[in-house]
Amino acid sequence: MRLKKTGVTAMLGLVLAGQSAVAADRELLDILLANGAITRDQYDRLLKKQEPLTKNDVEVSLKKGLQFKTADGDFKMRIGGRLHAQAAYHDEGRVNGVDPNDGLEIRRGRLYAKGVLYHDWKYTAEYDFAGNKTHIKDLWVAYTGLKSYGLDFIGFGHQKQPYSLEVEMSSNDIPFIERALDYGFAEAVVDRALGVRMQTHGHYWFAAAGLYGESIGKGNDEGWGTAGRFILAPLHDQEKVVHLGVRGAYREPNDNRQQRFNYESTHQSDLKLVDSGTMDNVDNTALVGAEAAFVYGPVALEGEYTHAMVERKKGLSDLDFDGFHVQATWSLTGESRAAAYKLKDGEFKRLKPHRYFSLSQGGLGAWELAARYAWIDLNDQDIKGGRAQDFTMALNWYLNPNIRLMFDWTHQLNNSRIKQAEDLDIFQVRTQLTF
């Protein structure tokens, strides 16, 4: 009997002493519990203990999508996506001979996989399935092993071009359902494209530049372009941000030598509020601009300006166009956009509620008011694309980090191209899910 008790005691000592108690067979723990050698509390605690991870062990998390990571951090993968379901309504049935398309649509339906390979390589593959079509959004790989030389990464593939805050910020994060009027310049010149991008940052600054061909799907007869952006942020903490930036872009079109700027009232409307039409015999297009953002607690101000220059051949006059927007946001529940500022990426992420919405626990989520004034001028020489300005009010409800409801009202202040568009009111609502 003494030997038996000694054996049980020895086994118990081995189980209790080691940090790798989970390695003990559960059947053995059941026997020890049945024999009265351990208490129920000890039994439960031993089952909860974990073995130290080896470098090849994989951790799984659901906090931000489905994440896998080896213990040494050399390999990571995250699988996630977004769903933007939205509706739009114009208060005029017919404008300039066009019946704006109202109703419901899946604005974006994306899935992505991103991660790290052998510590120094990262990758992203993102596809959009909205409109019953498949579009490649991001498909690139980047080398991150040059940080000791001052370079955050150098990326190759189909990716964003570094031009402005509106371009760089995700549609998941901007405070309005659609980007401003002056985004018509960026969309035409610095949309995602195949190329190489380099990026770096310091404690108070950010810089990115790249060289690009065409976007995937635009054919093999490629034009080319380059873009760059520099940000100075002398103040950035959890409550305050001062963000000042300059940027530029240059593009030579493919052999069709064409360029076009326009802006639709909504994504599905087919009503172009401004439209330069197709400009032929284009030698090159250049964009230059500036941006600024200021955050103080729950209040944020942001503005951008772009000047577009189009050089043409065959004796045609060169063209100059302009556009800008200014906007303000106010978090009614006290969250600050400063806490969502990522200088290493040169952008703001979306608000994260202090308390997630919950009927049982009393959380309200985060509530945000936003207002924006935008202006664009596409009139110059023989091009009469129109001069327009609008005002947008928005109410955003962030129920938690993954779900956001958005309500936008846009009023057209004036439009030199479409008189019927003046005083046009547009209402939009979006349900946004990200994971």
Side-chain angles (χ1 to χ4, degrees), residues 81-103:
R82 72 185 72 178
L83 176 64
H84 295 177
Q86 64 189 54
Y89 171 76
H90 298 70
D91 73 340
E92 295 287 344
R94 191 170 182 84
V95 181
N96 198 37
V98 175
D99 291 318
N101 292 325
D102 291 329

Side-chain angles (χ1 to χ4, degrees), residues 18 107 145 244 249 253 263 277 352:
R107 177 69 171 89
L244 305 169
Y263 186 90
K352 183 177 180 180

Side-chain angles (χ1 to χ4, degrees), residues 323-374:
F324 72 90
H325 73 268
V326 291
Q327 65 189 45
T329 61
W330 174 31
S331 173
L332 303 177
T333 44
E335 292 83 1
S336 177
R337 282 196 167 266
Y341 185 63
K342 304 296 181 185
L343 180 58
K344 68 181 183 67
D345 297 319
E347 62 180 283
F348 291 88
K349 302 297 183 182
R350 62 186 171 279
L351 286 182
K352 183 177 180 180
H354 291 327
R355 297 185 64 190
Y356 301 166
F357 172 74
S358 173
L359 290 176
S360 61
Q361 299 180 15
L364 294 176
W367 288 81
E368 177 185 59
L369 281 176
R372 179 179 69 196
Y373 171 80

Side-chain angles (χ1 to χ4, degrees), residues 279-392:
M279 297 175 282
D280 296 316
N281 300 304
V282 172
D283 183 58
N284 64 78
T285 301
L287 304 179
V288 293
E291 63 189 67
F294 305 94
V295 183
Y296 187 82
V299 177
L301 303 174
E302 185 261 322
E304 295 189 7
Y305 167 78
T306 291
H307 179 69
M309 299 165 283
V310 180
E311 291 190 6
R312 296 190 290 180
K313 296 182 175 182
K314 297 184 177 180
L316 294 173
S317 300
D318 295 339
L319 304 168
D320 292 275
F321 305 115
D322 297 276
F324 72 90
H325 73 268
V326 291
Q327 65 189 45
T329 61
W330 174 31
S331 173
L332 303 177
T333 44
E335 292 83 1
S336 177
R337 282 196 167 266
Y341 185 63
K342 304 296 181 185
L343 180 58
K344 68 181 183 67
D345 297 319
E347 62 180 283
F348 291 88
K349 302 297 183 182
R350 62 186 171 279
L351 286 182
K352 183 177 180 180
H354 291 327
R355 297 185 64 190
Y356 301 166
F357 172 74
S358 173
L359 290 176
S360 61
Q361 299 180 15
L364 294 176
W367 288 81
E368 177 185 59
L369 281 176
R372 179 179 69 196
Y373 171 80
W375 180 91
I376 192 170
D377 184 357
L378 294 183
N379 291 334
D380 193 34
Q381 303 294 332
D382 56 310
I383 303 300
K384 305 301 178 184
R387 183 183 298 111
Q389 55 183 318
D390 64 22
F391 176 76
T392 301

Side-chain angles (χ1 to χ4, degrees), residues 156-375:
F156 309 89
H158 197 253
Q159 57 193 310
K160 283 187 174 183
Q161 300 186 48
Y163 180 69
S164 73
L165 193 58
E166 285 254 297
V167 170
E168 297 279 64
M169 283 182 65
S170 167
S171 58
N172 289 329
D173 304 332
I174 59 176
F176 298 92
I177 290 177
E178 300 295 349
R179 293 174 170 91
L181 283 170
D182 52 306
Y183 183 67
F185 295 127
E187 188 174 30
V189 178
V190 289
D191 197 7
R192 283 178 171 89
L194 286 165
V196 55
R197 171 176 173 147
M198 295 180 290
Q199 184 169 305
T200 187
H201 78 287
H203 189 65
Y204 297 110
W205 58 273
F206 164 90
L211 181 65
Y212 302 89
E214 296 284 1
S215 299
I216 290 178
K218 288 193 175 180
N220 297 320
D221 188 16
E222 294 192 357
W224 70 276
T226 184
R229 181 169 174 248
F230 177 79
I231 301 300
L232 182 64
L235 175 63
H236 58 94
D237 57 34
Q238 293 296 299
E239 289 290 326
K240 299 179 288 296
V241 169
V242 175
H243 167 110
L244 305 169
V246 293
R247 68 278 181 106
Y250 174 88
R251 173 158 288 277
E252 291 191 5
N254 57 28
D255 284 349
N256 66 22
R257 315 308 299 180
Q258 294 178 337
Q259 182 70 73
R260 183 179 184 178
F261 301 128
N262 61 66
Y263 186 90
E264 284 186 310
S265 60
T266 69
H267 175 257
Q268 62 178 331
S269 72
D270 291 330
L271 173 61
K272 294 178 172 56
L273 295 172
V274 290
D275 188 358
S276 69
T278 300
M279 297 175 282
D280 296 316
N281 300 304
V282 172
D283 183 58
N284 64 78
T285 301
L287 304 179
V288 293
E291 63 189 67
F294 305 94
V295 183
Y296 187 82
V299 177
L301 303 174
E302 185 261 322
E304 295 189 7
Y305 167 78
T306 291
H307 179 69
M309 299 165 283
V310 180
E311 291 190 6
R312 296 190 290 180
K313 296 182 175 182
K314 297 184 177 180
L316 294 173
S317 300
D318 295 339
L319 304 168
D320 292 275
F321 305 115
D322 297 276
F324 72 90
H325 73 268
V326 291
Q327 65 189 45
T329 61
W330 174 31
S331 173
L332 303 177
T333 44
E335 292 83 1
S336 177
R337 282 196 167 266
Y341 185 63
K342 304 296 181 185
L343 180 58
K344 68 181 183 67
D345 297 319
E347 62 180 283
F348 291 88
K349 302 297 183 182
R350 62 186 171 279
L351 286 182
K352 183 177 180 180
H354 291 327
R355 297 185 64 190
Y356 301 166
F357 172 74
S358 173
L359 290 176
S360 61
Q361 299 180 15
L364 294 176
W367 288 81
E368 177 185 59
L369 281 176
R372 179 179 69 196
Y373 171 80
W375 180 91

